[in-house]
Amino acid sequence: MPTTSSTPTAPATPATPPTVATPLTPPAPPGQTSSPDPKLPPPRVSMDIAHAVEGGSRRAVNITIDDGPDPTWTPRILKILRDNGVRATFCMIGPQAAAHPGLVRRVVADGHRLCDHTVTHNTAMDHRSKRYQKRQILTAAAQITRASGGVEPLYYRAPGGAFTPYSRQIAASAGMRPLGWNVDTKDYEEPGVRAILHAVRHELDNGPTILFHDGGGDRSQTAAALRKLLPWLRHHGYGFGFPVR
């Protein structure tokens, strides 16, 4: 019988491996200069430390008030701000907010903004573990939010300026812009009303964000200084704003 020729079989084409999508790094917030750690949650707001006034005005200041709320001094400072038509940013200690939710809600009702100032105000927290820093920031934020009735803090201020790149990104990933200051009144040292006023008047060229306190001790000098300072600032052409977000 004749031999039947057969067509050679083509070699099998190797299977194409499935395409694996490369996860995209979320874009940094506009204007941010810091480099986020891709292993951490991406920042929802800039993780750069804020100093400027929202809107960019060169003739406005940010009044920021730390370490409360305090049942004695926060109401007095709220009245002074109200009498002068000024809104401020209150950087609150988490347990203080939890202990005085009525005061937190008064702050919000008067149109002021909230800022997270940690749980224990540890000025050396930049030397502590990442786990510790995260707990300090996020626990305080939750305490402030609960006390306010659901209004979240918009900023995070590290005690004594003890920021780290890690803590800044953790705060920014929770929607809180790290907040610095330009003028330190040192009112917490109770240097006298004249010294507090002198500090502000002579350091305003450093930038617009002024640091005061409504907690942590006797703040009668702070109240007296604000009573004099706010009209002085307005008389000299300054407006009042909030820190940039």
Side-chain angles (χ1 to χ4, degrees):
M1 296 181 59
T3 304
T4 304
S5 63
S6 60
T7 304
T9 304
T13 303
T16 302
T19 302
V20 178
T22 303
L24 297 176
T25 302
Q32 177 174 283
T33 60
S34 301
S35 298
D37 184 338
K39 296 184 292 235
L40 297 176
R44 290 165 43 197
V45 295
S46 174
M47 58 184 279
D48 295 342
I49 298 174
H51 294 94
V53 177
E54 199 170 62
S57 172
R58 296 188 177 184
R59 294 296 291 177
V61 297
N62 303 315
I63 302 296
T64 65
I65 302 173
D66 287 15
D67 295 359
D70 180 274
T72 299
W73 301 111
T74 303
R76 298 188 193 188
I77 289 175
L78 283 173
K79 183 179 186 308
I80 294 165
L81 294 170
R82 191 181 311 118
D83 290 346
N84 287 275
V86 173
R87 291 178 179 172
T89 300
F90 283 78
C91 299
M92 297 184 173
I93 305 294
Q96 284 293 107
H100 306 288
L103 284 179
V104 181
R105 296 183 189 204
R106 284 175 61 183
V107 167
V108 171
D110 278 3
H112 306 293
R113 289 185 180 179
L114 301 176
C115 171
D116 176 344
H117 203 34
T118 76
V119 174
T120 63
H121 197 276
N122 182 353
T123 57
M125 65 178 288
D126 52 333
H127 299 293
R128 299 293 298 272
S129 69
K130 290 180 177 179
R131 180 179 178 185
Y132 176 89
Q133 294 176 54
K134 183 177 181 179
R135 186 169 63 247
Q136 285 280 317
I137 295 166
L138 298 186
T139 300
Q143 291 172 320
I144 294 166
T145 301
R146 281 195 299 270
S148 71
V151 179
E152 297 180 349
L154 298 181
Y155 308 94
Y156 163 65
R157 175 173 275 167
F163 290 105
T164 64
Y166 174 82
S167 68
R168 290 191 289 111
Q169 185 165 346
I170 289 298
S173 72
M176 297 181 290
R177 177 77 185 259
L179 176 59
W181 63 84
N182 305 105
V183 180
D184 186 354
T185 64
K186 292 187 167 55
D187 60 336
Y188 56 89
E189 295 179 352
E190 299 178 40
V193 173
R194 183 176 297 180
I196 295 170
L197 295 174
H198 181 275
V200 176
R201 292 169 181 171
H202 287 78
E203 293 181 24
L204 269 178
D205 287 346
N206 295 343
T209 304
I210 309 174
L211 173 61
F212 294 97
H213 296 79
D214 64 339
D218 183 337
R219 297 293 168 244
S220 56
Q221 292 180 9
T222 301
L226 282 168
R227 199 174 289 113
K228 293 176 179 290
L229 178 68
L230 300 180
W232 182 88
L233 287 166
R234 202 178 290 282
H235 177 73
H236 284 79
Y238 287 93
F240 299 90
F242 292 115
V244 66
R245 290 257 299 151

